[in-house]
Structures are given as C-alpha cells and as structure tokens.
Amino acid sequence: MSSLRSTVAVIRKDVQSELRTRYALNALLMFVVTAVATILFALRSDQPTSTVLAGMYWVVVFFTAMSSLSRIFVSEEERGTTMTLQLVASPAVVYFGKLVFNTLLTLSMTVAVTILYTLVFSTFFVIQTVSIFVITVLLGSLGFASAATIIAAIVAKANTRGTLYPVLSFPILIVLLITVMNATAKALDGEALSAALGDFQVLTGYFLAMTAGSYLLFDYVWKD
Amino acid sequence: MEDRNLAMNQMSLAVAHVSKQFDRRWVFREISFSLSGGESIAITGKNGSGKSTLVKILCGVLSATTGNVRLSLGGKELTGGQVRHHIGLVSPYLQLYDEFSGAENLDLLSRIRAGGDTHVPRTEEVLKLVGLWERRRDYVRTYSSGMKQRLKYAFALLHRPFALLLDEPTSNLDAEGISIVKGVIEEQKRSGILIVATNNDDEASWCSQRVHLGG
C-alpha cells in the first residue's frame, strides 16, 4: 500500500511538473498539428483507403510519441534530479509512476489526433465500429507507453538522445504498430468486434510482456 | 526523542573492501571502515580521487564494483527500501525541482519517500532551521545558489536520517549558512552517523575519523 501511495505521489509530481513546464505537452501538440496539416495538404481531394488512413493515423501517433515520451526521463537527467528521485523512491515506484504518466500522455495524444482527424478528414475518417477503435486506442496506448518508458530510461543515460530514441523504438514497436493499424482499419471498415479479437490478444500480450520485461530491467538501467 | 537516540545508538554502517572502476580505470580500491551511532568520518582526497563516487555508493545510488556497504539497526541489516528512510544527503550533484517552490519540493519528495504521509509540521521545522521559511512559496528557480544549498539541507533533514552524508558541505553558503551547517553537524554527531566528503581541512576536522582517497 505504501508503494502504491509513493507511485501515486510520483505521478502527481510529474503531472504538476508537466503542467508548469510543458516540456512534453508543447512538443506533442505542435507535432500533432504539423503532421496532420502536412497530411491534409498531401492528400488534397484524394480518397485514401481505410488501410492508408489507419497507417497515417498511427504514423502521426508514433512520431508524436517519439518527440514527447522520452522527456519523462530525459528531463530528470538534464535537470540533475535523477539522484533526488533515487534517494526517495525505489526503482519499481519510479518505473510504474513514469509508466502511468506516459500512458496518460499517450492517451491525450491519441484523443488529440482523433479529434483533429475527425475534424480535418470528416468526409472519409469515419469510425464505423467505435468499440474496436476505443479498445485499440486503449491497448495501443498502453503498449506504446510501456515500450516508450523503458526506452526513454535507457536513452536518458546516453549522449545521443535525440537520434537514439526513434532508432531504438522502431524495431521494438513494429509489432505493435502493425497490429494497431490492422485493428484501426477494421474499425474504419465497420467490421464486427469479433474480427479484432486476435489483434486485442496481441496488444494485451505485448503490453504485459513489455511491462514485465521493463520491470525486471529497470533496476539496472536506473541505478547506474 | 529518547527512542530516536536509542535507535541511533544501535545504528551502524560497515563499508567492506569497496572498490569502484569506471571503464578500465580504478577510481579507488579496497576502502573499508565502520561507524556506529555518534561517530563521524571525513572522506578526503584530491580532485578526481572518488570522494563523490564513494558518497554515492554509500547512499545506494551507485553500485560498487567490488565490496559491500551495510547499514544495520540493532544488528539487523537494512534493505534498499529501508536504507532510503535512514539516509540524508547534501551534494553538489543533488538538484531539486526548479518548477516547484521550496515547500512544494519538500512536500512532494516527502510524499514519495513516505508513501503518503505529509509531514507538514516537519517541513515547517526544517525550512525554519535553514532560514528559508519566508521564501517557502517562491519557485526554486528564483533561489540563489546559497539558498538552493540550504534547501538541500532541509531536504536531507526532512525525515530525520540516522546517517547524514555531506559532500562539499559549505559550498555556496554565507557565514550564516555555515553557522547553520555547524549546528546541524553538532546535532547529528550527538547520536547519528556523519560522513563529510571534503577537500577543506577545517571541514574534515569536524569529524573524529578520516579516510583519505588516492594514496
């Protein structure tokens, strides 16, 4: 129970810190707007297929995540507060606190991208099966956050942070990206919920495996 | 207070054959000493001899390449999580959050360490002790380097640590700040464990024992 309260305190600190500094939020919003505007200009009046739409949706989410999710550890490292956290919290408390914060950030990002897509591409971005889309976004965000958190912790210790983060993330996230794109295309095509159950199993398995692996690895990454 | 003094007297720190290697270079080798409640030690040595590295190892934020550090209470060794509640650190490497006020920093970090206990009265006590009570609502980014050093003392003393580790204890402090530090040290030496890492002979003389790094 004490660890849970400490984890909540870490999340609270990060949320308050983010609201004051806007380290990740500004990068996130600017990237979403820029990427969606670029896609809008590129498409003009063309009618993309649901597979292309789903791909473009998650490409925006992927690159937005790359520009903002690493901040959770990089900002601690750059400000020299890593040791302060090490002195007051166990690695598990820090990891799960950061994971929840990154999940909240990823969910905010997917909500922002969805709203922008719905407004800008109102004629062809129509979600036919809402349940598939909502579950995909939830599970996809959990998977994204889980992978992004441990990669951010590793990258924060490196000198070449900016380039290393997407390079390390892409091979780790490729399975997740393919699955969420498939499931989103099914939601846009209006397929039944049962058609996406396999995708949901992959996404759940990905999240659980990534979180368990990260939990075991984090102690070594965080301490030295 | 008597219970605390009794507990502190049962406290001990044993450093056995600790060595640290970065890449292929040994920073120091085979450092051993032990301390119990009421004892103090100064870690001295020239720049780059590994004083700060040894302090980080003693705090548990850095692993030793060889050897081990044991903090015990009443003969029972404390684990990583328990050690966190009994160690206080002031160091140039330690930074607090610029976007929060002094009081917010202490409250947030106290909540993380204690898992929900707020310790509001203790926050007031330590901020008054270091002379920052009047500036408690100001963001840390507006503090001078000396005020930040004082806030580090408030952070280190917030949970009444049994072992207090001071790396360059008086850096950036004015005469009043140094006087506060001396008071803190005298209080700590009465029953707790004090470790000071310094190049300054005056500061080293505050401690009853000395370990010199770098030959």
Side-chain angles (χ1 to χ4, degrees), chain B residues 8-204:
Chain B
M8 277 189 162
N9 286 327
Q10 295 174 335
M11 192 92 186
S12 66
L13 175 76
V15 178
H17 309 291
V18 167
S19 306
K20 184 65 185 176
Q21 186 180 30
F22 284 125
D23 298 324
R24 290 183 177 182
R25 192 178 72 86
W26 288 96
V27 182
F28 51 76
R29 289 192 203 212
E30 295 287 318
I31 302 296
S32 299
F33 61 85
S34 62
L35 297 167
S36 50
E39 292 184 329
S40 56
I41 192 165
I43 301 167
T44 59
K46 61 183 182 182
N47 296 148
S49 59
K51 299 187 292 297
S52 297
T53 302
L54 181 56
V55 167
K56 286 180 189 173
I57 291 170
L58 298 179
C59 289
V61 297
L62 193 65
S63 304
T65 307
T66 63
N68 58 65
V69 177
R70 288 199 175 99
L71 193 63
S72 309
L73 185 61
K76 193 180 170 187
E77 188 180 340
L78 301 178
T79 61
Q82 293 167 322
V83 167
R84 211 167 287 120
H85 292 277
H86 298 297
I87 279 197
L89 171 70
V90 176
S91 161
Y93 298 104
L94 186 75
Q95 300 296 332
L96 295 164
Y97 293 91
D98 278 350
E99 67 272 26
F100 295 122
S101 70
E104 282 175 335
N105 261 288
L106 299 187
D107 285 343
L108 284 168
L109 294 169
S110 172
R111 279 173 205 272
I112 294 172
R113 174 157 39 206
D117 298 336
T118 54
H119 296 305
V120 172
R122 183 73 182 152
T123 300
E124 181 177 342
E125 186 185 331
V126 291
L127 281 174
K128 282 182 175 168
L129 174 72
V130 299
L132 287 178
W133 181 244
E134 301 302 318
R135 297 285 303 272
R136 67 188 180 280
R137 292 198 181 93
D138 294 352
Y139 288 129
V140 170
R141 65 168 171 262
T142 67
Y143 284 12
S144 68
S145 52
M147 290 168 72
K148 285 181 180 172
Q149 179 75 350
R150 288 179 184 216
L151 187 62
K152 288 179 193 177
Y153 273 93
F155 167 63
L157 297 169
L158 191 62
H159 55 300
R160 300 179 193 276
F162 290 134
L164 184 61
L165 291 92
L166 309 177
D167 189 359
E168 298 182 25
T170 58
S171 64
N172 298 316
L173 290 176
D174 57 14
E176 185 194 276
I178 291 170
S179 168
I180 291 168
V181 168
K182 284 179 178 171
V184 166
I185 284 169
E186 287 311 313
E187 177 64 30
Q188 186 68 22
K189 278 162 65 176
R190 263 196 275 279
S191 50
I193 289 170
L194 174 71
I195 298 171
V196 176
T198 183
N199 278 319
N200 184 311
D201 276 343
D202 282 346
E203 291 172 1

Side-chain angles (χ1 to χ4, degrees), chain A residues 190-212:
Chain A
E191 291 191 29
L193 181 65
S194 57
L197 287 181
D199 296 320
F200 298 156
Q201 285 172 347
V202 172
L203 293 177
T204 308
Y206 182 93
F207 168 67
L208 292 176
M210 190 56 71
T211 305

Side-chain angles (χ1 to χ4, degrees), chain A residues 23-70:
Chain A
Y23 266 118
L25 274 178
N26 283 347
L28 182 156
L29 284 173
M30 283 311 297
F31 201 95
V32 168
V33 171
T34 310
V36 172
T38 309
I39 292 169
L40 176 67
F41 296 137
L43 283 177
R44 296 181 192 160
S45 58
D46 292 350
Q47 172 84 42
T49 63
S50 57
T51 316
V52 172
L53 265 179
M56 288 190 309
Y57 177 93
W58 286 103
V59 162
V60 173
V61 171
F62 172 77
F63 283 105
T64 311
M66 291 306 98
S67 70
S68 55
L69 295 188
S70 65

